[in-house]
Amino acid sequence: MSVTINAHQLGRLIDKTIGHMGSEYVEPLHGIRLDVDARYLYAVASDRHTIAVARYQLNHGDQQQEPWARTIPAGRLRSLREWIDSIKGAGLITISVADDRLTFEGPLTDLSIAVNTGMEFLDWRGLLRKHVEQAADGTTFPALDSGFLARFNTGDVLRVRLTGDEKPLLVFAEDFLGAQMPARYAGVYPAKEESFEGAHKSWLWTLAAGSPDATLDGAAFEEDRPRFEVTADIRETGEGLLREVLHSVTDGHLADYDTQRALWMAHIRIGVANWMAFRYLTALHNVDPRAAAAVVAEVAGELDSGEIGEFAWDAAEQAGFDPQQWHDEYEAHLKKSSEKAA
């Protein structure tokens, strides 16, 4: 089973979808899916928040073959993209699959990638079929320049309103309003006039094979992050802090104040610290969402390193405090508590 595509087109398939891959904690989605049917080679990627499908119509000799699909692991995409760049754009690449290998044969060199054939990918045809069929024909269908659209990555949640086929797209966010004019030219040529019905028809053959009940939700694609890993996602961080506050309050009620006072105090301290962190995080996010996201990501890296004691010591010295004095005082406190207990 094999298909042939030139280097330029294969590179475009990867470039159009690579930004939509899932994280390393969602292994079935952590890569780009190459999917072949009787007419097209598709590149598919999704992180469950977005999904992207790019397709290439197969050469006549490659059509009408048995469908097959394999996921290129995210860790191999950089080497694959560099290998493609080493080939002239018109150079032909043959992609073949056999057992657990995906092989790319170029004019001068070949590249072989190990793939996991046991991972189930989402039903992307069914998912998109359902949403495309729910879209109403006759509504506005303007052409938008994706490069301009990317400028609205403000770090905020955006709401959009289509005002007409040749009217601006309005973009709203908190304390933000923008508009993007429709594209009138695709390169040197006028943008092709197209109706939603026409665009839908061009994908009918592809999407017909999908289940109308497909969804991005499901246990098969739930993130399976090891619990000692620290998330860099700001919402998950907030959720974790609130969860720990409530757990600490519960544990504090369960601990006996008279016989387990040290344990009781530990639970109280944990709850207080997490509540303070949550309130500070939400305040920072309200003032500057990007700064909040950057801080969460930086702190996640520090916690994963396991060296927060050293970081705290250095931070204390930089702030003009005396961490050595704190250490000595705490050691004396522990010694005194131990002597009382004896």
Side-chain angles (χ1 to χ4, degrees), residues 169-191:
L169 168 73
L170 296 178
V171 180
F172 294 84
E174 185 176 2
D175 297 321
F176 180 86
L177 171 62
Q180 178 175 334
M181 290 299 295
R184 292 186 169 86
Y185 296 94
V188 297
Y189 299 102

Side-chain angles (χ1 to χ4, degrees), residues 83-98:
W83 180 78
I84 293 172
D85 286 341
S86 70
I87 302 172
K88 291 184 178 180
L92 294 180
I93 297 174
T94 298
I95 308 172
S96 58
V97 61

Side-chain angles (χ1 to χ4, degrees), residues 270-321:
I270 292 172
V272 169
N274 280 287
W275 178 245
M276 291 172 64
F278 175 77
R279 295 288 283 121
Y280 296 154
L281 177 61
T282 53
L284 177 59
H285 183 264
N286 289 334
V287 173
D288 191 339
R290 289 193 175 186
V295 169
V296 167
E298 183 178 353
V299 171
E302 292 172 347
L303 293 175
D304 278 335
S305 74
E307 300 174 354
I308 58 173
E310 297 178 21
F311 295 146
W313 189 285
D314 293 341
E317 289 184 331
Q318 292 171 8
F321 301 114

